[in-house]
Amino acid sequence: MTSSDYDPAKEGAETDFARRMSYGDYLALDAILGAQHPLSEAHDEMLFIIQHQTTELWMRLAIHELSAARRAIARDEVAPAMKMLARMSRIFEQLNNAWDVLRTMTPSEYTRFRSQLGQSSGFQSRQYRLIEYLLGNRNHAMLKPHAHDVETTKLLEAELATPSLYDEVLRLADRNGLKMPVAVLARDVRETHGFSEGVLQAWRIVYEAPETHWMLYELAEKLVDFEDYFRRWRFNHVTTVERVIGFKRGTGGTGGVSYLKRMLEVELFPELWRVRTIL
């Protein structure tokens, strides 16, 4: 018998899905696979669309994991939060690998359909903005691209009113005897957390005696691990854009590469990076 003769039904596999849920039904594949609508005849536009659509799907999962991790930390349920943060690193590893596919598109190929994008640009992604806000980079100016969308604006405003993931980690540390500055704990959570010498010194205690503060030590390293992958994703974004369009302005009106390079300077958990210098 050759492999082409194999009939899974003879081993009990279900093959009649007229009245049963199929693989495609469960995953709503008709909707997903029917969501690619190139606006040009350019061969590479399909790559561009699928690259960004799959990125948005991974971001959907990232929001799911980050939100759950934050809730778990607020409830002192650190173990499941650790698992979710570890998964976040793997998600961004996948997102990093995706740039390798997009980089197969040359500048000549991109110019054949770039004009079809109009003013659309990745910085307008509401999911990306939500991730940034969840992580504590709360740039209010980035609400403007969503002002036309009432529901998205409500979503982002609600996130701004909620303590970020790092806020909850600092509160957790304080509850577990690692005293954090009162001004940091009582700050306006709508604003981006800025570097705090008091927070740095608190983390120094953890890193100088990890065996005494193992839970916080491990959680801190999970955050650093995730931000490491996140930074690599941003860096790969910069190099991919520079490779494809050079230093042209972005379709959304940003400086393109210059704008993305500024994003490389953002630190989500500044004290966790700087504590290494003072050990």
Side-chain angles (χ1 to χ4, degrees):
M1 179 182 289
T2 66
S3 60
S4 61
D5 296 323
Y6 173 66
D7 182 358
K10 292 181 180 179
E11 295 183 356
E14 185 60 60
T15 58
D16 181 2
F17 294 98
R19 295 180 178 84
R20 295 178 174 88
M21 180 184 291
S22 70
Y23 174 79
D25 295 333
Y26 177 70
L27 296 176
L29 289 182
D30 286 345
I32 293 172
L33 299 179
Q36 295 75 46
H37 305 290
L39 299 178
S40 74
E41 297 298 320
H43 174 80
D44 292 271
E45 189 177 0
M46 183 65 80
L47 162 63
F48 190 83
I49 291 171
I50 290 177
Q51 163 83 20
H52 289 83
Q53 287 181 339
T54 53
T55 293
E56 291 290 335
L57 284 173
W58 281 118
M59 286 184 177
R60 176 69 182 87
L61 180 58
I63 292 166
H64 176 69
E65 299 294 340
L66 280 173
S67 299
R70 177 172 59 183
R71 291 193 299 270
I73 290 168
R75 297 191 300 263
D76 293 324
E77 297 172 1
V78 179
M82 294 280 200
K83 175 68 179 295
M84 296 162 191
L85 291 173
R87 183 174 290 167
M88 281 298 304
S89 294
R90 301 288 83 78
I91 290 170
F92 272 83
E93 184 176 23
Q94 291 296 316
L95 287 170
N96 270 307
N97 291 337
W99 290 121
D100 292 337
V101 183
L102 191 62
R103 280 195 285 263
T104 64
M105 183 175 63
T106 67
S108 300
E109 291 163 344
Y110 183 48
T111 57
R112 291 173 186 168
F113 66 87
R114 189 182 189 226
S115 62
Q116 300 295 328
L117 273 62
Q119 283 71 53
S120 64
S121 178
F123 83 89
Q124 300 156 8
S125 166
R126 72 175 183 179
Q127 290 201 125
Y128 175 70
R129 192 56 46 204
L130 187 57
I131 289 172
E132 288 272 8
Y133 283 2
L134 267 160
L135 294 171
N137 182 21
R138 303 191 155 190
N139 183 350
H140 292 222
M142 300 311 293
L143 285 170
K144 294 176 183 177
H146 307 286
H148 68 287
D149 185 332
V150 175
E151 291 305 313
T152 295
T153 299
K154 286 181 180 178
L155 177 69
L156 295 175
E157 287 282 6
E159 178 54 43
L160 285 175
T162 306
S164 72
L165 175 68
Y166 194 45
D167 287 329
E168 291 294 1
V169 169
L170 298 182
R171 294 177 182 192
L172 172 77
D174 188 74
R175 291 195 299 273
N176 282 270
L178 194 70
K179 292 304 176 185
M180 292 291 171
V182 174
V184 171
L185 297 177
R187 72 180 189 83
D188 181 0
V189 298
R190 289 179 56 83
E191 303 301 326
T192 300
H193 166 75
F195 169 77
S196 164
E197 181 66 29
V199 172
L200 174 65
Q201 293 304 322
W203 284 122
R204 181 176 190 169
I205 294 170
V206 171
Y207 276 82
E208 286 183 338
E211 63 282 351
T212 305
H213 307 279
W214 188 259
M215 179 266 286
L216 293 173
Y217 176 68
E218 190 175 16
L219 179 57
E221 283 299 290
K222 280 287 188 292
L223 292 177
V224 171
D225 191 38
F226 164 65
E227 187 170 357
D228 191 348
Y229 278 101
F230 194 51
R231 285 183 175 188
R232 290 186 223 177
W233 183 76
R234 282 174 166 160
F235 177 78
N236 280 323
H237 192 179
V238 172
T239 56
T240 300
V241 170
E242 186 172 352
R243 177 169 175 162
V244 175
I245 69 169
F247 291 89
K248 294 177 184 174
R249 296 192 70 82
T251 49
T254 68
V257 168
S258 63
Y259 163 75
L260 294 172
K261 283 185 175 179
R262 291 189 63 184
M263 297 301 100
L264 295 178
E265 300 171 1
V266 174
E267 287 183 316
L268 299 172
F269 318 124
E271 297 86 5
L272 294 181
W273 290 96
R274 300 188 200 186
V275 71
R276 285 142 169 79
T277 305
I278 63 173
L279 293 177

